Amino acid sequence: MAVSGALWVAFVSIHLFGNLKVFQGPEAFNGYAAWLREAFYPLLPKSGVLWALRVALVVSLVAHVGSAAVVWWRGRRARGPHRAKLHGLASWSSRLMPVTGVVLLLFLVIHLLDLTTGTAPVAPDGFAHPAEGTAHAYQNLVASFGRPLMAWFYVAVMALLSLHIAKGATTMAADLGVMGRRWRAGFTIVGGILAVAILLGNAAIPVLVQMGVLA
Protein backbone atom coordinates (compact mmCIF):
# COMPACT_ATOMS: atom_id res chain seq x y z
CA MET A 1 0.00 0.00 0.00
CA ALA A 2 2.83 2.38 0.85
CA VAL A 3 4.75 1.65 -2.36
CA SER A 4 1.72 2.04 -4.63
CA GLY A 5 0.76 5.22 -2.79
CA ALA A 6 4.27 6.62 -3.23
CA LEU A 7 4.10 5.94 -6.97
CA TRP A 8 0.85 7.86 -7.24
CA VAL A 9 2.21 10.77 -5.20
CA ALA A 10 5.21 10.89 -7.55
CA PHE A 11 2.88 10.96 -10.55
CA VAL A 12 0.66 13.67 -9.06
CA SER A 13 3.75 15.78 -8.30
CA ILE A 14 5.03 15.44 -11.88
CA HIS A 15 1.52 16.09 -13.17
CA LEU A 16 1.47 19.30 -11.12
CA PHE A 17 4.64 20.45 -12.88
CA GLY A 18 2.93 19.94 -16.24
CA ASN A 19 -0.25 21.66 -15.07
CA LEU A 20 1.68 24.77 -14.08
CA LYS A 21 2.49 25.32 -17.75
CA VAL A 22 -1.07 26.55 -18.12
CA PHE A 23 0.13 29.84 -16.59
CA GLN A 24 2.49 30.26 -19.55
CA GLY A 25 -0.43 30.39 -21.93
CA PRO A 26 -2.14 28.19 -24.52
CA GLU A 27 0.92 27.61 -26.69
CA ALA A 28 3.07 26.30 -23.84
CA PHE A 29 0.35 24.10 -22.35
CA ASN A 30 -0.77 22.68 -25.69
CA GLY A 31 2.83 22.13 -26.70
CA TYR A 32 3.46 20.17 -23.53
CA ALA A 33 0.34 18.04 -24.13
CA ALA A 34 1.41 17.33 -27.72
CA TRP A 35 4.94 16.45 -26.59
CA LEU A 36 3.59 13.87 -24.12
CA ARG A 37 1.88 12.05 -26.97
CA GLU A 38 5.08 11.92 -29.06
CA ALA A 39 7.75 11.73 -26.36
CA PHE A 40 10.87 9.81 -27.45
CA TYR A 41 9.46 9.07 -30.90
CA PRO A 42 10.75 7.33 -33.06
CA LEU A 43 12.72 5.46 -30.37
CA LEU A 44 9.36 4.57 -28.87
CA PRO A 45 5.98 4.39 -30.62
CA LYS A 46 3.82 7.49 -30.54
CA SER A 47 1.91 7.65 -27.25
CA GLY A 48 4.20 4.87 -26.00
CA VAL A 49 5.23 6.85 -22.92
CA LEU A 50 1.62 7.76 -22.17
CA TRP A 51 0.47 4.16 -22.39
CA ALA A 52 3.37 2.94 -20.27
CA LEU A 53 2.40 5.47 -17.61
CA ARG A 54 -1.24 4.49 -17.82
CA VAL A 55 -0.48 0.79 -17.37
CA ALA A 56 1.84 1.47 -14.43
CA LEU A 57 -0.72 3.75 -12.79
CA VAL A 58 -3.58 1.31 -13.27
CA VAL A 59 -1.52 -1.49 -11.71
CA SER A 60 -0.56 0.80 -8.82
CA LEU A 61 -4.16 1.91 -8.36
CA VAL A 62 -5.45 -1.68 -8.23
CA ALA A 63 -2.69 -2.55 -5.75
CA HIS A 64 -3.46 0.49 -3.60
CA VAL A 65 -7.23 0.00 -3.51
CA GLY A 66 -6.84 -3.74 -3.00
CA SER A 67 -4.38 -3.23 -0.16
CA ALA A 68 -6.69 -0.69 1.46
CA ALA A 69 -9.59 -3.15 1.31
CA VAL A 70 -7.47 -5.93 2.85
CA VAL A 71 -6.18 -3.67 5.64
CA TRP A 72 -9.71 -2.46 6.40
CA TRP A 73 -11.11 -5.99 6.47
CA ARG A 74 -8.30 -7.31 8.67
CA GLY A 75 -8.83 -4.43 11.04
CA ARG A 76 -12.53 -5.16 11.26
CA ARG A 77 -11.88 -8.85 12.01
CA ALA A 78 -9.05 -8.26 14.49
CA ARG A 79 -10.56 -5.59 16.68
CA GLY A 80 -12.13 -6.78 19.88
CA PRO A 81 -14.67 -5.22 22.21
CA HIS A 82 -12.08 -2.74 23.50
CA ARG A 83 -11.26 -0.41 20.63
CA ALA A 84 -8.38 2.03 20.55
CA LYS A 85 -9.59 5.58 20.76
CA LEU A 86 -7.86 8.36 18.89
CA HIS A 87 -8.51 11.99 19.64
CA GLY A 88 -8.03 15.29 17.86
CA LEU A 89 -6.40 15.60 14.44
CA ALA A 90 -5.11 12.01 14.45
CA SER A 91 -8.64 10.70 14.87
CA TRP A 92 -10.17 12.83 12.11
CA SER A 93 -7.36 12.24 9.62
CA SER A 94 -7.49 8.47 10.15
CA ARG A 95 -11.24 8.32 9.72
CA LEU A 96 -11.11 10.49 6.61
CA MET A 97 -8.60 8.29 4.77
CA PRO A 98 -11.17 5.76 3.45
CA VAL A 99 -13.61 8.57 2.63
CA THR A 100 -11.05 10.64 0.76
CA GLY A 101 -9.85 7.51 -1.03
CA VAL A 102 -13.33 6.73 -2.37
CA VAL A 103 -13.89 10.35 -3.42
CA LEU A 104 -10.51 10.44 -5.18
CA LEU A 105 -11.34 7.24 -7.05
CA LEU A 106 -14.62 8.77 -8.22
CA PHE A 107 -12.82 11.97 -9.18
CA LEU A 108 -10.28 10.03 -11.23
CA VAL A 109 -13.08 8.56 -13.36
CA ILE A 110 -14.74 11.96 -13.81
CA HIS A 111 -11.42 13.65 -14.61
CA LEU A 112 -10.61 11.11 -17.32
CA LEU A 113 -14.06 11.43 -18.88
CA ASP A 114 -13.81 15.20 -18.70
CA LEU A 115 -10.33 16.01 -19.99
CA THR A 116 -8.97 12.81 -21.54
CA THR A 117 -11.72 11.02 -23.43
CA GLY A 118 -14.05 14.02 -23.74
CA THR A 119 -17.10 11.91 -22.94
CA ALA A 120 -20.44 13.72 -22.71
CA PRO A 121 -22.12 14.85 -20.55
CA VAL A 122 -19.08 15.06 -18.24
CA ALA A 123 -16.85 16.84 -20.78
CA PRO A 124 -17.64 20.40 -21.86
CA ASP A 125 -19.48 21.09 -25.09
CA GLY A 126 -17.15 21.36 -28.05
CA PHE A 127 -14.41 19.21 -26.54
CA ALA A 128 -11.57 19.07 -29.08
CA HIS A 129 -9.69 15.81 -29.41
CA PRO A 130 -5.95 15.96 -30.19
CA ALA A 131 -4.85 15.56 -33.79
CA GLU A 132 -1.52 14.62 -35.34
CA GLY A 133 1.11 16.77 -33.65
CA THR A 134 -1.43 19.15 -32.13
CA ALA A 135 -3.40 19.38 -28.89
CA HIS A 136 -6.20 21.52 -27.53
CA ALA A 137 -5.60 20.83 -23.86
CA TYR A 138 -5.67 24.49 -22.83
CA GLN A 139 -8.98 25.21 -24.52
CA ASN A 140 -10.55 22.05 -23.10
CA LEU A 141 -9.29 22.88 -19.61
CA VAL A 142 -10.67 26.42 -19.68
CA ALA A 143 -13.99 25.21 -21.10
CA SER A 144 -14.30 22.61 -18.35
CA PHE A 145 -13.40 24.92 -15.48
CA GLY A 146 -15.60 27.61 -16.94
CA ARG A 147 -18.45 25.59 -15.47
CA PRO A 148 -18.74 26.61 -11.79
CA LEU A 149 -19.83 23.17 -10.57
CA MET A 150 -16.83 21.43 -12.15
CA ALA A 151 -14.41 24.16 -11.04
CA TRP A 152 -15.37 24.08 -7.38
CA PHE A 153 -15.66 20.30 -7.38
CA TYR A 154 -12.05 20.20 -8.57
CA VAL A 155 -10.97 22.61 -5.82
CA ALA A 156 -12.73 20.53 -3.16
CA VAL A 157 -11.12 17.32 -4.43
CA MET A 158 -7.68 18.94 -4.38
CA ALA A 159 -8.25 19.77 -0.70
CA LEU A 160 -9.15 16.13 -0.01
CA LEU A 161 -6.17 14.93 -2.05
CA SER A 162 -3.82 17.10 -0.01
CA LEU A 163 -5.23 15.66 3.21
CA HIS A 164 -4.85 12.12 1.84
CA ILE A 165 -1.22 12.73 0.90
CA ALA A 166 -0.33 14.47 4.16
CA LYS A 167 -1.83 11.69 6.29
CA GLY A 168 -0.37 8.97 4.05
CA ALA A 169 3.10 10.42 4.45
CA THR A 170 2.90 10.11 8.23
CA THR A 171 2.25 6.35 8.00
CA MET A 172 4.38 5.60 4.94
CA ALA A 173 7.65 5.62 6.89
CA ALA A 174 6.38 3.03 9.35
CA ASP A 175 4.88 0.92 6.56
CA LEU A 176 8.20 0.90 4.72
CA GLY A 177 10.10 -0.06 7.88
CA VAL A 178 11.89 3.27 8.26
CA MET A 179 13.18 3.64 11.81
CA GLY A 180 14.16 6.76 13.71
CA ARG A 181 12.19 9.85 14.63
CA ARG A 182 14.14 12.13 12.34
CA TRP A 183 13.52 9.97 9.28
CA ARG A 184 9.83 9.70 10.09
CA ALA A 185 9.65 13.42 10.70
CA GLY A 186 11.31 13.92 7.31
CA PHE A 187 8.61 11.84 5.61
CA THR A 188 5.95 13.92 7.34
CA ILE A 189 7.55 17.23 6.33
CA VAL A 190 8.07 16.22 2.70
CA GLY A 191 4.52 14.89 2.51
CA GLY A 192 3.17 18.11 3.98
CA ILE A 193 5.12 20.26 1.53
CA LEU A 194 3.92 18.18 -1.43
CA ALA A 195 0.34 18.31 -0.15
CA VAL A 196 0.39 22.11 0.11
CA ALA A 197 2.06 22.51 -3.29
CA ILE A 198 -0.46 20.22 -4.98
CA LEU A 199 -3.37 21.99 -3.32
CA LEU A 200 -2.23 25.53 -4.15
CA GLY A 201 -0.90 24.75 -7.62
CA ASN A 202 -3.82 22.71 -8.91
CA ALA A 203 -6.64 24.54 -7.14
CA ALA A 204 -5.40 27.89 -8.45
CA ILE A 205 -6.21 26.85 -12.03
CA PRO A 206 -10.03 26.56 -11.74
CA VAL A 207 -10.15 29.55 -9.41
CA LEU A 208 -8.34 31.73 -11.95
CA VAL A 209 -10.54 30.42 -14.77
CA GLN A 210 -13.61 31.42 -12.75
CA MET A 211 -12.07 34.85 -12.16
CA GLY A 212 -11.43 35.29 -15.88
CA VAL A 213 -7.65 35.43 -15.50
CA LEU A 214 -7.21 32.26 -17.54
CA ALA A 215 -9.35 32.37 -20.66
Side-chain angles (χ1 to χ4, degrees), residues 14-197:
I14 295 172
H15 191 48
L16 169 65
F17 175 77
N19 285 347
L20 293 179
K21 289 186 177 294
V22 74
F23 299 112
Q24 295 179 283
E27 184 176 351
F29 194 66
N30 289 337
Y32 171 71
W35 175 82
L36 280 177
R37 302 184 68 85
E38 300 185 3
F40 303 108
Y41 177 81
L43 180 64
L44 297 176
K46 289 185 178 180
S47 300
V49 172
L50 271 180
W51 278 107
L53 283 172
R54 288 167 179 169
V55 171
L57 289 173
V58 168
V59 172
S60 297
L61 181 63
V62 171
H64 198 67
V65 174
S67 299
V70 170
V71 169
W72 178 83
W73 177 245
R74 287 179 177 175
R76 296 279 296 183
R77 292 183 61 186
R79 72 184 185 186
H82 306 288
R83 302 178 186 177
K85 294 183 179 180
L86 298 176
H87 301 281
L89 183 60
S91 174
W92 281 105
S93 59
S94 297
R95 292 176 182 177
L96 280 175
M97 285 299 280
V99 177
T100 56
V102 172
V103 174
L104 291 173
L105 188 59
L106 174 64
F107 166 75
L108 181 61
V109 175
I110 294 175
H111 193 55
L112 290 174
L113 295 175
D114 182 22
L115 294 175
T116 300
T117 63
T119 304
V122 180
D125 294 334
F127 180 91
H129 291 276
E132 185 70 23
T134 62
H136 310 279
Y138 185 93
Q139 291 77 9
N140 292 335
L141 186 72
V142 171
S144 177
F145 291 156
R147 301 170 296 175
L149 182 60
M150 183 60 74
W152 298 117
F153 171 68
Y154 188 87
V155 172
V157 171
M158 288 304 105
L160 293 179
L161 175 60
S162 66
L163 290 174
H164 199 82
I165 291 175
K167 175 57 180 177
T170 63
T171 60
M172 186 181 296
D175 293 340
L176 294 176
V178 176
M179 305 301 292
R181 291 184 178 181
R182 291 185 178 180
W183 281 102
R184 294 192 179 189
F187 270 76
T188 301
I189 293 172
V190 171
I193 293 173
L194 286 176
V196 172

